[in-house]
Amino acid sequence: MGLRAATRGAPPRSPLLARPQPARGREENTGHVTRKRDFVDLHVFGAGRRGRGPGEGGDRWRPPVLPLSCVLQVKSEGPKLVPFFKATCVYFVLWLPSSSPSWVSTLIKCLPIFCLWLFLLAHGLGFLLAHPSATRIFVGLVFSAVGDAFLIWQDQGYFVHGLLMFAVTHMFYASAFGMRPLALRTGLVMAVLSGLCYALLYPCLSGAFTYLVGVYVALIGFMGWRAMAGLRLAGADWRWTELAAGSGALFFMISDLTIALNKFCFPVPYSRALIMSTYYAAQMLVALSAVESREPVEHYRLSKAN
């Protein structure tokens, strides 16, 4: 009785003195509880999920959750890209004049793309053989290097050859990105942007370039659509490789539009620096998107069979 009375008459305990409870793991909709250290909260401005918390009367904002394995995977790719960054620095430091093309300048310009070949091969030949999308990106990089070599000699009449090589590159990239999800709204936006770019270039074009540039703009617009179709910045389905693919396509479009404006319309200030910086960034991001390949070969064969 004395103990009960003492307990009954004791003042309520202040919440400030309450011992903090250890953080519990998040419970996902997958039916199991995961540990807290297996996830990293990615706070993206303007992006997130809204959900109803326990005991709350309204919705609350939840940041998208990025698995820690993805963060570690991004960090692990850095050392493999060191040769690419060094080769890119060599190109910009030497800055060989484009008015006197040579095999040395061709090698220096193509060297960063060669390093991206090595970047994909560093994941193993078995990885490329098991993932058709990664293989297509590798083949696209091969055609890109050939296109770079032709563009070094464009004043000698090889501009069209380079244009055709990069057109093939975009077809391989679009095939690697796949047709799922379809994302018709994204396709409509890319179609409008491609049409505006061609309308800007059309008054400056003549002869066969009127049709060649039109086909090329359509191809790179299609590639950009497929690269951005799977882009999701919020939710549990967020993947950094999709962001790399979409960003790479955007940089590629900026680079090629600058080439076209500088060649057909008017001189663009610092055009070479703008073209090459966005071009190398685009190729690096597209190569990175192959790391988390979209479909293993067995899934690819099943989709073909169906």
Side-chain angles (χ1 to χ4, degrees):
M1 289 294 292
L3 180 59
R4 290 183 179 179
T7 305
R8 189 182 300 115
R13 191 175 184 182
S14 173
L16 297 177
L17 299 178
R19 180 177 298 176
Q21 297 296 324
R24 297 180 179 177
R26 288 198 181 95
E27 184 174 354
E28 299 293 333
N29 294 329
T30 54
H32 64 278
V33 179
T34 56
R35 293 170 297 178
K36 185 177 181 180
R37 67 171 179 261
D38 290 340
F39 289 88
V40 175
D41 287 342
L42 180 66
H43 296 271
V44 181
F45 179 77
R49 293 183 298 172
R50 300 187 65 86
R52 189 177 300 275
E56 295 181 358
D59 291 345
R60 64 185 180 90
W61 184 81
R62 292 181 183 177
V65 178
L66 180 64
L68 182 58
S69 58
C70 289
V71 178
L72 297 177
Q73 187 178 16
V74 172
K75 290 183 178 180
S76 68
E77 300 304 328
K80 301 184 186 73
L81 285 172
V82 169
F84 166 79
F85 288 122
K86 289 183 177 180
T88 304
C89 290
V90 168
Y91 173 83
F92 283 104
V93 169
L94 293 181
W95 202 248
L96 297 177
S98 57
S99 57
S100 56
S102 64
W103 290 109
V104 174
S105 59
T106 302
L107 176 63
I108 293 174
K109 183 182 180 183
C110 296
L111 190 58
I113 307 302
F114 295 158
C115 292
L116 291 179
W117 295 2
L118 297 178
F119 167 75
L120 290 179
L121 290 173
H123 293 82
L125 186 60
F127 171 81
L128 292 179
L129 295 177
H131 297 84
S133 59
T135 304
R136 291 165 188 165
I137 288 179
F138 181 84
V139 175
L141 287 170
V142 173
F143 278 95
S144 295
V146 178
D148 282 331
F150 278 129
L151 291 182
I152 283 286
W153 307 85
Q154 60 178 301
D155 292 337
Q156 282 70 33
Y158 289 97
F159 179 80
V160 175
H161 299 74
L163 189 71
L164 293 176
M165 291 298 101
F166 278 105
V168 175
T169 295
H170 295 317
M171 287 190 287
F172 273 103
Y173 285 171
S175 178
F177 297 143
M179 293 300 297
R180 291 178 296 181
L182 195 57
L184 291 178
R185 291 183 179 178
T186 304
L188 180 61
V189 172
M190 295 305 300
V192 171
L193 289 177
S194 300
L196 291 176
C197 291
Y198 185 67
L200 178 64
L201 297 172
Y202 182 79
C204 308
L205 302 175
S206 61
F209 283 114
T210 304
Y211 309 101
L212 291 176
V213 173
V215 172
Y216 185 85
V217 169
L219 285 175
I220 194 173
F222 180 77
M223 185 273 292
W225 170 32
R226 298 322 311 153
M228 297 181 184
L231 184 60
R232 293 179 296 272
L233 294 178
D237 296 333
W238 192 91
R239 293 202 302 179
W240 66 272
T241 48
E242 293 170 350
L243 179 61
S247 302
L250 182 60
F251 279 126
F252 226 129
M253 296 176 71
I254 294 174
S255 178
D256 285 355
L257 179 61
T258 307
I259 291 177
L261 290 174
N262 188 69
K263 183 173 182 62
F264 299 112
C265 298
F266 53 83
V268 178
Y270 307 104
S271 60
R272 186 180 174 190
L274 178 60
I275 290 167
M276 298 310 299
S277 59
T278 52
Y279 170 69
Y280 286 140
Q283 295 284 36
M284 179 195 70
L285 291 168
V286 171
L288 273 172
S289 71
V291 172
E292 191 178 280
S293 193
R294 284 158 176 76
E295 52 179 7
V297 66
E298 57 270 14
H299 294 169
Y300 175 76
R301 288 172 179 171
L302 288 175
S303 64
K304 285 292 186 182
N306 294 333

